Amino acid sequence: MVSENTLIDEIVSLCKRRGFVFQSSEIYGGFNGFFDYGPLGVELRRNIKDAWWDDMVRRRDDMVGLDSGIIMNPEIWKASGHVDGFSDPMVDCKDSKMRYRADQLFAAEIKVDGDSLGWVCLLESISMQDEAEKKAELIKRKAAKQGKLEAVDLRPFDELTQDEQAQVPSPATGKVGALTEPRDFNMMFETSVGALKDGSSTAYLRPETAQGIFANFKNIVDTGRVKLPFGIAQIGKAFRNEITPRNFIFRSREFEQMEIEYFIPQGEEVWQRYHREWIDTRRSWFGSIGLTSEYLGEEVHPKEKLAHYAKACTDITFKFPFGEHELEGIAARGNFDLSQHQIHSGKNLEFFDEGTKQKFLPHVIEPSLGVDRTFLAVICSSYQVDEVEGEKRTVLRFHPRVAPIKVGVFPLVKNKPELVDRARKLYSNLQQRWNVIYDQSGAIGRRYRRIDEVGVPFGVTVDFDTIEGDGSVTLRDRDTTNQQRLSEEDLFSYLEEKINL
RNA sequence: GCGGGCGUAGCUCAGCUGGUAGAGCACCACCUUGCCAAGGUGGAUGUCGAGGGUUCGAAUCCCUUCGCCCGCUCCA
């Protein structure tokens, strides 16, 4: 039994060894939080994105696509709240080495008849007021102070003055002076537009693709002949200057998103219905690309932890070797974004409903998925080490739909030119249709094992029956290792059915 | 940013108290191979993360630095 830590190590190692994922800038010593995708990785990524685009956009009547730019008018990020809200002041406790978000840390001065007895500090919680009052009583008793305890007024740490902050004890150790001043972390990458590098030219690399959709909402409504409900989908890179990128490609500074903004009429029961619908739609989609359903979970964000604009948010989670984490977030955002952009741009973004003859800002459901996270989940879900008669077999059980290479073509042996010629011909025929590989080196069993390791679902072997007998070839299945004989025409239709959903 | 761990071949790693770099797998070529690998022969491969110091001599000791991994905070 391998421990979970070595499991992810094995996967990282396989990803490099077989050309899926490389550490960015490796020859320069690497670059934290960035990754490159190799020959097999790029195929897998592309297949994941294509599957999503086909299912979410092309095969639906209520969806259209968009590709907005990575760099947009910086006003967009002021409207969306990213310029102010995306920076989280952090406070470190020098004593316990803990780090807190300043707005989640609450402190109050304990006063008895106007005399200060020091401060209390707590992490944000529902019961923090009660706890703070209990602590205050305790402090009063310890100080043996008579008189009236003044009301305990908890305030967020980042709203205190510098002098006040200096008196606040660490919530972990109770020590005064252990906390640092709040330090700003803005997650947006800045750049400057135009050759002149002054403040007025500051722009940002988008931290999410969503805002490009909202910014183009009016364009699409005006030109796209869309009716509510409808969605706008986008796949694209996004950038966040994460404090600590972690867990391989799970959290990186450059990543790719597949996002939908699904616009719906107003109304409490309306968004609740669509929210649930999208959770189910998205969940079943993960099955269609081969994610093991036991690894999938759902996590409903508690109301008090929701962002100010969100009415609800449910995560679809995946049990990674390093823990269960968010794959996709499905948020009900109300009409927050459109109303923000309406205010900031001064343009009317209301939708006119022909049926009800009403003008209003549609509400929105936002299923937002990370390509790289899906990529990792697909690999983790597929990775398996079989024990066959004491021998190990490493296999990636990719769903044929996402497998980077669909078929391996082999002559049974390479020292018979007839076999080689026939196999090469079959190879180039298949190559017109799919990404396939040809391999003639080593024993046939060895070649099967080699393609198992990169998740090729089918192996086709040209043997003596092919050239001397009925022309049939052997089709070997990766998962069962079963073999069957098929004519070349049957082979094509068989593969067609299995690969192209 | 702070704390802990770690950097030796493509991968996994060995190299003890300083003596001038190795194994297995993978890879390439040829042979062998009539259907589930690890047969044969031959071959390529390392600025021992980087810089500096100690020393006759450093992968090994010291200092500095960079990078990676884990925890805290954030999120797709």
Side-chain angles (χ1 to χ4, degrees), chain A residues 127-141:
Chain A
S127 58
M128 65 182 179
Q129 186 64 37
D130 289 348
E131 287 173 41
E133 281 166 16
K134 271 183 212 156
K135 281 194 176 184
E137 284 292 347
L138 209 73
I139 290 170
K140 185 190 160 193
R141 216 174 308 148

Side-chain angles (χ1 to χ4, degrees), chain A residues 348-461:
Chain A
N348 187 338
L349 301 180
E350 286 177 317
F351 185 87
F352 179 69
D353 190 284
E354 300 285 352
T356 62
K357 306 290 178 199
Q358 278 186 315
K359 286 178 91 176
F360 61 94
L361 286 175
H363 285 220
V364 76
I365 305 292
E366 180 193 83
S368 171
L369 174 65
V371 174
D372 312 81
R373 288 183 178 186
T374 309
F375 182 105
L376 186 57
V378 165
I379 291 193
C380 291
S381 200
S382 310
Y383 183 83
Q384 199 174 322
V385 180
D386 293 345
E387 193 91 14
V388 187
E389 288 164 24
E391 275 182 355
K392 272 192 179 175
R393 177 176 89 125
T394 301
V395 54
L396 289 175
R397 292 166 170 266
F398 290 138
H399 191 290
R401 198 182 186 195
V402 295
I405 302 168
K406 310 298 188 194
V407 187
V409 182
F410 318 115
L412 184 58
V413 291
K414 74 170 171 189
N415 58 353
K416 298 283 188 293
E418 312 93 297
L419 287 182
V420 170
D421 291 349
R422 187 66 174 263
R424 280 205 172 277
K425 205 170 151 204
L426 177 60
Y427 167 69
S428 65
N429 287 342
L430 289 166
Q431 204 174 22
Q432 301 305 309
R433 187 80 183 77
W434 298 290
N435 194 35
V436 295
I437 55 155
Y438 173 83
D439 190 0
Q440 59 174 35
S441 72
I444 187 71
R446 184 182 201 154
R447 282 176 269 163
Y448 286 152
R449 294 291 176 88
R450 201 179 285 154
I451 63 168
D452 286 341
E453 209 184 16
V454 292
V456 180
F458 307 105
V460 177
T461 303

Side-chain angles (χ1 to χ4, degrees), chain A residues 40 47 65 68-69 92 123 181 183 189 280 310 379 390 437 452 454:
Chain A
L40 261 40
N47 293 343
S68 66
D92 289 317
L123 279 167
E181 289 172 28
R183 281 175 292 188
F189 281 100
D280 296 340
I379 291 193
I437 55 155
D452 286 341
V454 292

Side-chain angles (χ1 to χ4, degrees), chain A residues 246-407:
Chain A
R246 228 16 98 73
N247 291 329
F248 193 37
I249 56 172
F250 180 79
R251 178 180 298 130
S252 52
R253 291 192 164 119
E254 174 179 344
F255 58 104
E256 192 155 20
Q257 294 182 306
M258 302 187 278
E259 288 197 302
I260 295 168
E261 298 299 339
Y262 195 78
F263 298 95
I264 55 174
Q266 297 166 297
E268 191 76 4
E269 65 297 331
V270 179
W271 74 254
Q272 285 180 352
R273 177 161 56 86
Y274 281 110
H275 189 231
R276 187 65 239 173
E277 248 173 53
W278 271 107
I279 294 166
D280 296 340
T281 300
R282 295 299 312 137
R283 219 182 146 145
S284 72
W285 183 81
F286 287 119
S288 82
I289 58 163
L291 289 195
T292 317
S293 61
E294 304 89 81
Y295 290 162
L296 291 172
E298 259 174 50
E299 199 183 304
V300 178
H301 284 215
K303 278 225 151 47
E304 62 273 15
K305 277 187 76 181
L306 287 174
H308 60 287
Y309 52 76
K311 289 184 183 300
C313 185
T314 298
D315 290 342
I316 296 176
T317 59
F318 184 83
K319 291 183 183 70
F320 289 99
F322 45 82
E324 183 168 353
H325 296 288
E326 179 184 355
L327 249 193
E328 175 157 10
I330 301 164
R333 292 171 74 108
N335 60 10
F336 173 81
D337 300 276
L338 285 181
S339 65
Q340 284 295 299
H341 288 300
Q342 181 163 273
I343 294 164
H344 280 78
S345 67
K347 300 285 189 301
N348 187 338
L349 301 180
E350 286 177 317
F351 185 87
F352 179 69
D353 190 284
E354 300 285 352
T356 62
K357 306 290 178 199
Q358 278 186 315
K359 286 178 91 176
F360 61 94
L361 286 175
H363 285 220
V364 76
I365 305 292
E366 180 193 83
S368 171
L369 174 65
V371 174
D372 312 81
R373 288 183 178 186
T374 309
F375 182 105
L376 186 57
V378 165
I379 291 193
C380 291
S381 200
S382 310
Y383 183 83
Q384 199 174 322
V385 180
D386 293 345
E387 193 91 14
V388 187
E389 288 164 24
E391 275 182 355
K392 272 192 179 175
R393 177 176 89 125
T394 301
V395 54
L396 289 175
R397 292 166 170 266
F398 290 138
H399 191 290
R401 198 182 186 195
V402 295
I405 302 168
K406 310 298 188 194
V407 187

